[in-house]
Amino acid sequence: MAPDSRMVAMSNPLQSTPGPAVPGDAADDALQQVEHQLSLLWRRARSISHQLSRQVHPDMEPAAYGLLTVIRREGPIRLTDLATCIGVGKPSVSRQIAFLESIGLVYKEADPQDGRAQSIRLTEKGEEKMHQVQDARRQVFRERLGEWPLEDVQTLADYMGRLNAIYGDGVLNVKEPEIDVEDKPAGV
């Protein structure tokens, strides 16, 4: 089975071929630009997340900063719900929460709905640190987007919301390439 030509165009540079433009080329070009811009944004976001986490604590990993952000937004939350919320396994979240607890940014308390379970919440110190860092981050947005018309900022937020909704589950659903039996190495 041949690979989907749309996926090839997304992952490989388009070849410039002489002749009349094919209607699909404009869509492929636009998708390639989206892919490129998202890749830049993701790289920069990872870098910023790393910087923000270090502002909270010098040994903090960006993943822990993300957990603090969710806990601050959601309020007291169970470990299982936190793991589900960010789409990673409970052991990874548990390790990060143990670190955050050790540096005094979160604490666990009995869940009011189920005394056997525990909820995680920010400590006063955790709330203060997150407030400082998020205020600084918001100021950077104001500086970088301050000259944009408010309408453009709102349009950007709307489009980003639509894009996030499409990728809401965080699963790509990319099909594995089919391999012909003749192409498989011996013994596979």
Side-chain angles (χ1 to χ4, degrees), residues 14-118:
L14 294 174
Q15 302 297 319
S16 56
T17 54
V22 179
D25 286 350
D28 287 344
D29 288 346
L31 289 172
Q32 191 172 22
Q33 284 301 312
V34 167
E35 179 186 29
H36 173 72
Q37 293 301 325
L38 282 175
S39 292
L40 282 173
L41 182 63
W42 286 331
R43 276 196 310 272
R44 290 175 179 155
R46 278 193 302 272
S47 174
I48 290 168
S49 182
H50 185 78
Q51 292 170 41
L52 291 171
S53 65
R54 297 296 189 237
Q55 287 178 13
V56 175
H57 189 277
D59 297 327
M60 182 181 294
E61 295 177 18
Y65 175 79
L67 294 177
L68 289 174
T69 302
V70 172
I71 296 166
R72 186 170 194 229
R73 183 183 64 236
E74 300 294 323
I77 187 169
R78 291 181 182 186
L79 188 81
T80 305
D81 296 334
L82 185 56
T84 300
C85 187
I86 62 169
V88 298
K90 193 175 167 183
S92 297
V93 173
S94 185
R95 182 177 60 82
Q96 293 295 338
I97 291 298
F99 170 76
L100 293 171
E101 213 174 1
S102 76
I103 60 172
L105 299 179
V106 300
Y107 68 96
K108 296 175 185 171
E109 64 183 2
D111 188 312
Q113 297 172 340
D114 180 355
R116 298 169 297 168
Q118 292 183 319

Side-chain angles (χ1 to χ4, degrees), residues 7 10 35 38 42 166-175:
M7 295 307 290
M10 291 291 293
E35 179 186 29
L38 282 175
W42 286 331
I166 291 169
Y167 286 97
D169 61 4
V171 177
L172 276 180
N173 294 326
V174 176
K175 291 182 181 178

Side-chain angles (χ1 to χ4, degrees), residues 154-168:
Q154 187 57 56
T155 299
L156 175 62
D158 292 343
Y159 282 139
M160 290 178 79
R162 286 175 60 189
L163 187 62
N164 282 322
I166 291 169
Y167 286 97

Side-chain angles (χ1 to χ4, degrees), residues 139-159:
Q139 183 58 35
V140 170
F141 279 130
R142 281 188 188 94
E143 291 167 6
R144 302 250 172 123
L145 300 176
E147 294 187 21
W148 285 29
L150 181 57
E151 206 173 277
D152 288 357
V153 174
Q154 187 57 56
T155 299
L156 175 62
D158 292 343
Y159 282 139

